[in-house]
């Protein structure tokens, strides 16, 4: 049986993103602009709040990944407010707790990430960037539980609020509403 080059390209393109749905350019631009405006707003407010309270920590690095879900995939269950806010906050709390007991990063990082995933399953707030929050806490040696609330929870709330306003102004429903 002879297969053409076109057959092989189609068959194996799956491994190079061929399973990704086509997204119209207008939707791509809407998502990108929303992420930019939303993150700019969140970071500006968080920086201001950090300065007001005298805290240097006002940003969580995984916020960009959360923004991808909120602005590009607003209908995803993993982009919903409970998932974003509770997932990120829980994961920070787990990471900080692990760090208090385990000081070896090679053990603490995977343990923090995996236990945060377990916690997200239990609380029904799966949010993939949140597993990174647990690892970031361990990498940064963050020992203060306050970090879970500011910047993590506050930044997450601000991002969800910005996502809700932007999405609804641009014709996307966010958050999902019960049907």
């Amino acid at each position: 049986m002879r297969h053409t080059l076109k057959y092989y390209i189609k068959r194996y393109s799956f491994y190079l993103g061929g399973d990704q749905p086509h997204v119209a350019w207008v939707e791509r631009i809407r998502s990108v602009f929303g992420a930019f405006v939303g993150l700019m707003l969140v970071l500006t407010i968080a920086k201001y709040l950090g300065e007001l309270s005298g805290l240097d920590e006002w940003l969580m690095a995984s916020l960009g990944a959360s923004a991808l879900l909120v602005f590009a995939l607003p209908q995803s269950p993993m982009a919903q407010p409970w998932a974003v806010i509770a997932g990120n906050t829980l994961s920070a709390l787990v990471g900080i707790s692990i760090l208090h007991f385990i000081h070896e990063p090679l053990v603490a990082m995977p343990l923090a990430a995996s236990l945060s995933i377990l916690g997200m399953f239990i609380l029904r707030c799966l949010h993939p960037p949140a597993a990174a929050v647990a690892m970031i806490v361990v990498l940064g040696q963050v020992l203060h539980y306050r970090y879970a609330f500011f910047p993590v929870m506050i930044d997450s709330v601000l991002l969800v609020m910005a996502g809700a306003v932007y999405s609804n102004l641009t014709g996307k429903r966010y958050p999902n509403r019960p049907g």
Side-chain angles (χ1 to χ4, degrees), residues 28-40 67 71 162-163 166:
R28 292 176 189 186
I29 299 302
R30 188 200 73 75
S31 298
V32 169
F33 186 71
F36 174 76
V37 170
L39 284 169
M40 195 66 149
F71 290 97
Y166 182 79

Side-chain angles (χ1 to χ4, degrees), residues 30 37 161-174:
R30 188 200 73 75
V37 170
M161 289 171 52
V165 170
Y166 182 79
S167 290
N168 287 288
L169 286 175
T170 59
K172 293 280 184 183
R173 287 186 75 171
Y174 178 79

Side-chain angles (χ1 to χ4, degrees), residues 5-179:
L5 179 60
K6 184 177 178 181
Y7 166 81
Y8 285 108
I9 289 172
K10 184 174 182 172
R11 179 178 171 136
Y12 293 103
S13 70
F14 172 86
Y15 299 105
L16 300 173
D19 60 335
Q20 295 288 310
H22 172 75
V23 177
W25 274 100
V26 68
E27 179 60 20
R28 292 176 189 186
I29 299 302
R30 188 200 73 75
S31 298
V32 169
F33 186 71
F36 174 76
V37 170
L39 284 169
M40 195 66 149
L41 183 66
V42 170
L43 296 178
T44 301
I45 292 170
K47 185 168 180 7
Y48 176 72
L49 291 174
E51 289 171 357
L52 274 180
S53 58
L55 299 172
D56 290 333
E57 301 163 330
W58 51 269
L59 165 68
M60 61 173 196
S62 63
L63 200 62
S66 293
L68 182 145
L69 289 168
V70 169
F71 290 97
L73 301 168
Q75 298 307 306
S76 169
M78 296 179 187
Q80 300 311 301
W82 176 249
V84 175
I85 298 165
N88 282 333
T89 305
L90 168 75
S91 295
L93 290 169
V94 168
I96 294 164
S97 296
I98 293 298
L99 196 53
H100 280 283
F101 296 103
I102 299 174
H103 304 290
E104 172 54 50
L106 290 176
V107 175
M109 281 191 294
L111 186 59
S114 59
L115 290 179
S116 74
I117 292 168
L118 175 62
M120 287 186 280
F121 269 123
I122 292 168
L123 294 180
R124 300 178 54 119
C125 58
L126 284 172
H127 183 64
V133 170
M135 293 180 70
I136 290 166
V137 163
V138 173
L139 275 173
Q141 298 289 299
V142 178
L143 292 167
H144 303 287
Y145 283 98
R146 177 220 22 100
Y147 182 83
F149 301 100
F150 182 76
V152 175
M153 186 179 77
I154 297 299
D155 285 2
S156 298
V157 168
L158 292 170
L159 184 70
V160 164
M161 289 171 52
V165 170
Y166 182 79
S167 290
N168 287 288
L169 286 175
T170 59
K172 293 280 184 183
R173 287 186 75 171
Y174 178 79
N176 286 344
R177 292 168 181 84

